[in-house]
Each structure stands twice: as structure tokens, then as C-alpha cells.
Amino acid sequence: MKTYITKDINETREFAREFAQTLNAPICVALHGDLGVGKSEIARTIIQTLCGENTVVPSPTFTLVQTYNAGDKKISHFDLYRITDAAELVEIGLEHSIQNDITLIEWPDIAADMLPENTIHIDICEYGAGRKIILR
């Protein structure tokens, strides 16, 4: 377990840029935290770091998943907030993504039984004007 404290959004993005450089498929990253704490911003920064800073990264809140190509890497960004039945996870391709891609998952609790043992869990909470980020 490792803890990072960021003072502001710029430092939070810098954390995400550095973290992105460590990711190789297949890997699963589960982003935990309250609404508005920065899960999407961290996922967006990871994707833009790997795909190019001008990559448009909309929230997958309504589409449930967005996919990106970063050279030979495929990135799948899931938002499971609206999923109410774990059976839907196979239908939206989560299982395939976990086995093959860099998989970023916001609101991962409903998928807990599907997550591989080596999943990187990132807990994010407010900490002053910045964030406390715990990798486990």
C-alpha cells in the first residue's frame, strides 16, 4: 500500500501521468471514491498520457464503456455506477477487457467478484484542496 497526497488538481494529474507510465496490458485498475472526488479526472489523465494529450475522453457514465487505442495497447474505461445486475458486466465486455486490456473501472464494487487478484485499487478522497490517493 502506498499513499500520495496532492495539493491541487495539477498534482493529482501529475500523479496520474506518472502512474500511467507503469501500466501494461492486461491490467485492471479499480478507482474508488465518492462522487466528484476525481475518479474520472484520474482515468482521463491516464488515457491522455497513453493516447495523446489531445485525446477526447468523455465520461462513460451513460455509454458504460469507452475504448481507446494507444499504439499496441488497448484501454477500456468503464463506469459501473448505473449497473444494478452483475450479469450485465459480461454483456458490456468487462470480462474480455480485464483479460486483454488496460482496464480502468470507476465504481467497481459491483464487479468485485470478477476483478483479478492483481487488480490495482486506487482509493481517492478529498484532502484539503487536493486529494489523498491510496494505491493498494
Side-chain angles (χ1 to χ4, degrees):
M1 187 162 52
K2 189 158 186 173
T3 301
Y4 299 85
I5 304 294
T6 64
K7 291 186 283 190
D8 56 31
I9 188 68
N10 292 325
E11 286 191 6
T12 301
R13 288 180 183 135
E14 184 57 31
F15 158 81
R17 281 190 286 275
E18 290 176 14
F19 177 71
Q21 299 301 324
T22 70
L23 300 176
N24 290 301
I27 190 69
C28 183
V29 179
L31 298 154
H32 302 269
D34 292 337
L35 193 63
V37 79
K39 296 179 299 295
S40 293
E41 188 61 38
I42 288 174
R44 181 177 299 110
T45 302
I46 290 169
I47 293 163
Q48 289 174 331
T49 298
L50 298 174
C51 295
E53 66 181 54
N54 293 325
T55 303
V56 176
V57 183
S59 172
T61 299
F62 295 104
T63 59
L64 303 178
V65 62
Q66 296 283 342
T67 58
Y68 305 87
N69 290 311
D72 61 344
K73 299 176 185 180
K74 184 174 178 187
I75 303 168
S76 295
H77 179 199
F78 289 84
D79 184 325
L80 304 182
Y81 184 77
R82 297 184 315 117
I83 299 289
T84 57
D85 182 350
E88 294 177 61
L89 300 173
V90 173
E91 292 176 26
I92 64 171
L94 182 63
E95 188 173 46
H96 175 80
S97 175
I98 287 171
Q99 294 171 1
N100 298 286
D101 305 340
I102 295 172
T103 304
L104 308 174
I105 306 172
E106 296 183 51
W107 305 101
D109 292 344
I110 195 163
D113 292 341
M114 289 181 73
L115 300 181
E117 223 175 270
N118 68 337
T119 297
I120 300 168
H121 293 270
I122 300 179
D123 299 302
I124 310 156
C125 64
E126 290 184 10
Y127 194 81
R131 297 294 181 260
K132 184 178 195 178
I133 302 167
I134 301 170
L135 267 64
R136 53 182 176 88

